[in-house]
Amino acid sequence: MNPDHVVIGIDRSLARLNRNAVYRTTFQERIESDCNNDAALSDENVLAITTPDRPNLLIIRAELSNFWRCAIDSGWSALIHKHYLLYPNPYPKNSRLKSRWHAHPSFPLILQLGGDVVVRSNWEGYLNQFASAVLIASDEVWSSDDDKNVARKYSASALNGPKKLECNEIPLTNFEKKYFDCGERVYELILQQDEH
């Protein structure tokens, strides 16, 4: 998938990354190789791997908001074509609202990265809230100067809201496959930048 693009997968949990046998083996090989070279590397601080069969795929263990900040600071915004938030924890309790990406302090970073933003979830309400956050930020929060308002360029597509995915689509994650298999609804919000 996407052989002409660099694809970066990010998760902060080594346990989740280790669930895939290919990545688990590659992580273990990386740890053993680096440890044989007297590097102080353990399974707690492995940061990134790639595999020979997918040289354009990079799996990174990182805190996502820190990664976004580093990507922006490194000038990657002009290089990013599309980024996905796949099945983020919706933190359904109202007391955890600030843990949701659209209410998190790093929300502007998602939009600053540029490119299309695709968010998938089995909770349509989460995606509606995400779209609403983009619209509120576009109108109220950031500077009225169009060049500095990172939300405004996504506002037209945010108005469209999420759409229901059909079960015949190719699942992007194991979560998605599980939801499709049991007949649960899956939704997608696509935020595209305005052309102007």
Side-chain angles (χ1 to χ4, degrees), residues 97-107 133:
L97 174 66
K98 289 184 181 179
S99 297
R100 299 177 194 165
W101 284 121
H102 54 275
H104 192 274
S106 64
F107 179 63

Side-chain angles (χ1 to χ4, degrees), residues 54-128:
R54 293 185 186 157
N56 68 317
L57 174 63
L58 181 64
I59 302 297
I60 298 176
R61 181 172 169 234
E63 176 62 44
L64 198 49
S65 56
N66 292 336
F67 180 85
W68 288 331
R69 188 171 284 105
C70 290
I72 291 166
D73 290 348
S74 297
W76 286 17
S77 296
L79 306 173
I80 293 178
H81 172 69
K82 188 180 287 190
H83 54 113
Y84 290 81
L85 295 171
L86 300 173
Y87 302 90
N89 186 337
Y91 296 103
K93 293 182 180 178
N94 287 337
S95 63
R96 300 289 311 271
L97 174 66
K98 289 184 181 179
S99 297
R100 299 177 194 165
W101 284 121
H102 54 275
H104 192 274
S106 64
F107 179 63
L109 300 176
I110 298 169
L111 305 177
Q112 269 183 291
L113 272 174
D116 295 344
V117 179
V118 179
V119 189
R120 286 190 175 183
S121 177
N122 61 321
W123 187 25
E124 185 180 19
Y126 181 91
L127 298 182
N128 282 322

Side-chain angles (χ1 to χ4, degrees), residues 111 131-139 146 149-161 190-194 196:
L111 305 177
S132 293
V134 171
L135 294 171
I136 290 167
S138 174
D139 291 339
D146 283 340
N149 188 321
V150 296
R152 187 157 291 143
K153 62 187 171 186
Y154 293 105
S155 60
S157 57
L159 284 170
N160 297 329
I190 300 175
L191 300 171
Q192 297 175 310
Q193 295 184 70
D194 293 340
H196 53 270

